[in-house]
Amino acid sequence: MNIENTRVVLVRRPETEATPDCFSIETQPLADLKPGEVRVAVDYVSVDAGTRTMLRGEGFHQQVGLGDTILAGGVGRIVESAADGWAVGQAVRGGLGVQTHATLNAATLEQIDTSIAPINAYLGVLGGSTGVTAWIGMRHVARPKRGDVFVVSAAAGAVGSIAGQIAKKEGARVIGIAGGPKKADYLLNRLGFDGAIDYKNEDVGQRLKALAPDGVNVFFDNVGGLVLDAVLDNIAMRAKVVICGAVSQYDHMDNVTGPSMYLRLAERQSSMEGFAFFHFPESIAPAMAELGKWLQEGSLVFDEEVLHGIERYPEALQFMFGGGNIGKLLVKIS
Ligand code: NAP
């Protein structure tokens, strides 16, 4: 089969923001498949805040080399197969990368059933770095109790919007922190949260004092920096602060702003605990099962924004770091 592959490549490591000039788009012919390999026509790729930390050349996450394809979770369909049990037309999910055609050993992929949920949902509500992350963070780490005041940051984003809704299901009073009046309205009127704080236009500490005068029992943090400090200053006795991520720090990971309010943990007998979803591999299937059930019964709101065209991937990353997305951000490749 004579196919060309178009991919997004890293050509310059970002010093601060990952701007479009850090990337180029290249098209090359593809080699024949080796035994055990499949060729996947990529349908959607996931845009993840954590990708910014993969462009530095060092760090906790797997790194993208200069000249290499940008790493990303993706979904698509097999168009050519040299692997037993992997038929042309099968829908798959895996680390496909930002490219039109991924050539991979079939064993690295997962077959997905698009009769249960549409293919894009496998990167969103059922995705490892999205719905599954929120579920694992909530069930294994945050564990709010009925009546708790639960606060989540980047609350209108992919992970935060699901974490907050799970907290509502657990009977907590949920306050979301997000940027701008449109997102605050989304939290209150679409997700049904009990309170919303627009950190771009409001003083987070003052608003928390008004909305949660007895303090915050559980904080699910996706942002770090000043937002983390403002919430730490307002925790209740025996509170739990969950570090899911710190998107405000990803553009300057060599100079991370630590929480200056961490002594509140000692003063209020509280704890801070981080997690990564892939540390709980045994929980991925149960997470997908429960998230899928909620999706089918219509008890979970899940919104997506989709940018169309592989050439828009660099713009999509910038859009996310500018706070543009509500819900899950995807790029539609084909
Ligand atoms: P997302 O929440 O859909 O999008 C990121 C959001 O972060 C933006 O929409 C923006 O919303 C906010 N943001 C961007 N720059 C910011 C800044 N400087 N200060 C404050 N907020 C900023 O992204 P996501 O992929 O779902 O990731 C959310 C968090 O989950 C990230 O911290 C990510 O690293 C983390 N995560 C953790 C795991 C894990 O296993 N622990 C797995 C996946 C993701 P606003 O408009 O509200 O600013």
Side-chain angles (χ1 to χ4, degrees):
M1 201 182 267
N2 198 5
I3 311 176
E4 288 193 322
N5 181 36
T6 299
R7 60 196 189 114
V8 178
V9 169
L10 182 68
V11 291
R12 186 177 71 76
R13 296 206 182 280
E15 279 159 28
T16 51
E17 189 189 0
T19 44
D21 59 306
C22 296
F23 307 95
S24 78
I25 313 257
E26 297 182 0
T27 298
Q28 281 131 353
L30 286 166
D32 290 341
L33 293 184
K34 298 191 192 86
E37 285 186 338
V38 291
R39 188 105 70 213
V40 180
V42 182
D43 196 352
Y44 291 89
V45 292
S46 176
V47 183
D48 292 290
T51 301
R52 174 65 188 84
T53 67
M54 300 177 175
L55 309 179
R56 302 172 58 227
E58 60 174 296
F60 169 68
H61 289 115
Q62 192 183 348
Q63 296 295 310
V64 181
L66 286 172
D68 289 351
T69 307
I70 301 302
L71 297 165
V75 288
R77 286 189 188 273
I78 296 177
V79 289
E80 209 185 331
S81 176
D84 288 343
W86 295 79
V88 168
Q90 171 67 50
V92 293
R93 171 170 74 174
L96 302 183
V98 186
Q99 55 189 338
T100 56
H101 295 85
T103 303
L104 293 156
N105 192 300
T108 66
L109 296 171
E110 185 187 345
Q111 300 191 0
I112 55 177
D113 183 351
T114 54
S115 70
I116 297 172
I119 196 164
N120 45 314
Y122 284 87
L123 296 179
V125 66
L126 303 178
S129 63
T130 306
V132 170
T133 291
W135 190 98
I136 285 173
M138 292 300 296
R139 286 285 157 80
H140 287 289
V141 193
R143 297 194 298 264
K145 298 188 298 299
R146 181 161 292 280
D148 274 354
V149 174
F150 176 94
V151 175
V152 54
S153 58
V159 172
S161 61
I162 297 185
Q165 289 180 82
I166 296 176
K168 283 291 293 177
K169 287 178 182 291
E170 305 287 337
R173 195 158 77 77
V174 176
I175 300 168
I177 304 175
K182 185 175 161 199
K183 289 192 178 182
D185 180 69
Y186 176 78
L187 299 179
L188 294 173
N189 297 315
R190 172 111 172 113
L191 301 185
F193 289 3
D194 303 284
I197 301 176
D198 166 6
Y199 78 93
K200 289 187 175 164
N201 295 293
E202 296 178 314
D203 181 317
V204 176
Q206 290 306 319
R207 288 281 289 138
L208 279 175
K209 282 182 180 41
L211 290 169
D214 296 327
V216 174
N217 303 105
V218 182
F219 177 41
F220 192 104
D221 189 25
N222 291 308
V223 162
L226 297 175
V227 168
L228 173 57
D229 263 342
V231 183
L232 276 172
D233 198 26
N234 283 280
I235 53 175
M237 283 296 288
R238 285 174 288 282
K240 181 74 168 274
V241 176
V242 179
I243 306 299
C244 175
V247 63
S248 74
Q249 304 301 306
Y250 294 169
D251 280 346
H252 48 90
M253 289 286 282
D254 295 328
N255 188 20
V256 167
T257 309
S260 65
M261 286 291 168
Y262 78 97
L263 285 176
R264 295 287 180 267
L265 297 170
E267 294 162 10
R268 298 176 195 171
Q269 197 66 39
S270 295
S271 65
M272 182 148 33
E273 183 178 351
F275 77 98
F277 80 93
F278 45 79
H279 291 151
F280 298 85
E282 72 291 347
S283 291
I284 293 175
M288 284 180 65
E290 189 163 30
L291 291 159
K293 178 174 89 60
W294 289 334
L295 198 63
Q296 276 178 338
E297 71 190 22
S299 71
L300 190 71
V301 172
F302 193 71
D303 291 308
E304 289 174 348
E305 297 209 26
V306 181
L307 269 59
H308 291 257
I310 188 169
E311 66 287 352
R312 297 192 71 189
Y313 181 83
E315 173 194 334
L317 260 191
Q318 254 196 326
F319 180 64
M320 170 174 272
F321 278 81
N325 64 302
I326 286 185
K328 178 70 189 174
L329 185 59
L330 298 172
V331 171
K332 175 118 177 83
I333 304 290
S334 59

